[in-house]
Amino acid sequence: AEFTYKYANNLPDSHPLNIRAKEMSAAIKTETHGRVDLQIFPNNQLGSDTDMLSQIRSGGIEFFTLSGLILSTLVPAASINGIGFAFPDYPTVWKAMDGDLGAYVRGEIRKANLEVMDQIWDNGFRQTTSSSKPINGPDDFKGFKIRVPVSPLWTSMFKAFDASPASINFNEVYSALQTKIVEGQENPLALISTAKLYEVQKYCSLTNHMWDGFWFLANRRAWEALPADVRTIVAKNINAAAVKEREDTEKLNATVKADLTSKGLIFNQPVVAPFRDKLRSAGFYSEWKGKYGEHAWSLLEKSVGKLA
Ligand code: X2X
């Protein structure tokens, strides 16, 4: 191939993201008549998210999907969709992320000299798992040792709950749970299932506390090295795969609970309002409104309603 490019990510091979990425890579090869060979490196094969973020910037890898919340270590605005309890449901998410809010964030990503595809991929609404106890209300988070991804927003939110958050990259989560360095973690059900976190956790509390998605990033130089017609084919196929991955992941998040129950995970459904009240009284929303600024915050509130 004329262009052999690496696409790296942090998710298991069996996650819808990697299943759709394989189809996408095959379609790109066919449609470019073999000029582009997009090789997929799933499951943190090329390092942690932190490592891969520096590789995409240097050109060590050409493509990378990264949670906007983690990307915020480079592009502060990119964590905005993760504000606690902002999004009520998927239709609201897609309207915002395919609309003004997503466009604003992509503009900020491009200012940081990374290229980004238009359609964000789904990780999902995040739920809380634990080896020690179910989370029934915000008080259960007090002193709770919880792994969070490496991102100031995540740390800030769990500190607002008076928990003890520890920043750990995803490639170390299974072992951190197994050795009880932390009691719990939070992730969408699709990932609790495909990464087999149920093997090292006992409870799953459906806290639904934030929506998280992956931006499909490209190294700027590598992207611009592609001829314009090739770029069009690559972008079209990546964005089409994102739309299919959203459908698969949403479906998996909605249906995998029964399977996880049969594997021994004990579910509970806490009432959500007290969590949001706790964040509000801890000053979480006003603090982050200040950080993102009026403009970005107004784009978020235009989609989800008044937060702070
Ligand atoms: O690190 C995580 O928990 C994961 C896989 O959900 C993200 O990429 C944010």
Side-chain angles (χ1 to χ4, degrees):
E2 207 176 321
F3 302 97
T4 300
Y5 278 8
K6 295 190 185 78
Y7 161 43
N9 66 70
N10 67 354
L11 294 185
D13 224 9
S14 57
H15 189 280
L17 174 140
N18 278 311
I19 293 169
R20 292 301 183 181
K22 272 181 220 160
E23 286 175 12
M24 167 189 97
S25 168
I28 289 170
K29 188 177 271 178
T30 308
E31 290 181 33
T32 61
H33 308 289
R35 291 176 79 190
V36 178
D37 180 10
L38 203 143
Q39 302 181 334
I40 305 167
F41 295 84
N43 219 9
N44 293 113
Q45 278 173 22
L46 299 186
S48 70
D49 276 334
T50 305
D51 298 330
M52 292 189 283
L53 180 57
S54 54
Q55 290 173 49
I56 189 93
R57 297 178 72 195
S58 69
I61 57 179
E62 286 82 15
F63 292 108
F64 173 36
T65 34
L66 181 63
S67 162
L69 279 85
I70 300 176
L71 179 57
S72 76
T73 55
L74 176 68
V75 182
S79 63
I80 193 161
N81 60 265
I83 284 293
F85 305 95
F87 287 99
D89 52 32
Y90 273 114
T92 312
V93 168
W94 304 132
K95 198 160 171 251
M97 302 313 288
D98 292 336
D100 292 347
L101 185 67
Y104 169 77
V105 172
R106 289 192 297 281
E108 294 297 302
I109 295 171
R110 292 190 181 111
K111 278 189 208 160
N113 207 30
L114 284 171
E115 194 43 62
V116 57
M117 300 300 126
D118 284 340
Q119 251 79 39
I120 193 167
W121 295 52
D122 188 27
N123 190 0
F125 284 89
R126 301 179 74 98
Q127 319 299 349
T128 309
T129 66
S130 159
S131 57
S132 55
K133 62 177 183 192
I135 303 296
N136 284 301
D139 285 351
D140 292 322
F141 275 137
K142 272 192 193 139
F144 185 63
K145 278 196 260 164
I146 183 167
R147 172 270 172 173
V148 293
V150 181
S151 166
L153 178 63
W154 252 302
T155 305
S156 158
M157 181 167 138
F158 283 95
K159 281 197 173 147
F161 284 130
D162 304 314
S164 292
S167 300
I168 299 175
N169 272 301
F170 192 67
N171 57 334
E172 289 171 3
V173 168
Y174 187 97
S175 70
L177 294 169
Q178 192 172 35
T179 57
K180 303 224 161 71
I181 288 171
V182 288
E183 295 170 80
Q185 65 85 46
E186 43 79 64
N187 251 303
L189 296 186
L191 199 43
I192 293 167
S193 170
T194 54
K196 299 192 191 308
L197 300 183
Y198 55 82
E199 293 177 349
V200 287
Q201 296 282 268
K202 196 168 162 74
Y203 302 97
C204 183
S205 305
L206 298 170
T207 46
N208 238 40
H209 51 275
M210 64 164 72
W211 178 79
D212 180 31
F214 300 105
W215 288 112
F216 205 106
L217 305 171
N219 172 271
R220 175 67 57 81
R221 251 175 303 123
W223 182 248
E224 286 173 359
L226 298 174
D229 58 327
V230 171
R231 246 185 270 162
T232 304
I233 295 171
V234 172
K236 182 195 77 179
N237 280 288
I238 294 174
N239 288 322
V243 171
K244 292 180 198 149
E245 185 268 355
R246 290 176 183 182
E247 285 167 19
D248 299 344
T249 306
E250 180 174 349
K251 202 177 287 166
L252 188 57
N253 279 323
T255 55
V256 80
K257 189 179 154 197
D259 181 50
L260 290 169
T261 303
S262 77
K263 290 184 161 117
L265 213 53
I266 301 165
F267 281 86
N268 70 298
Q269 175 64 74
V271 179
V272 162
F275 290 93
R276 209 172 169 175
D277 293 345
K278 171 75 188 173
L279 289 183
R280 198 167 280 135
S281 66
F284 173 80
Y285 295 108
S286 46
E287 180 190 337
W288 283 89
K289 179 181 177 178
K291 287 190 172 143
Y292 294 122
E294 285 292 339
H295 176 63
W297 195 260
S298 72
L299 294 175
L300 176 63
E301 286 192 335
K302 198 180 79 181
S303 310
V304 304
K306 207 93 190 120
L307 288 165

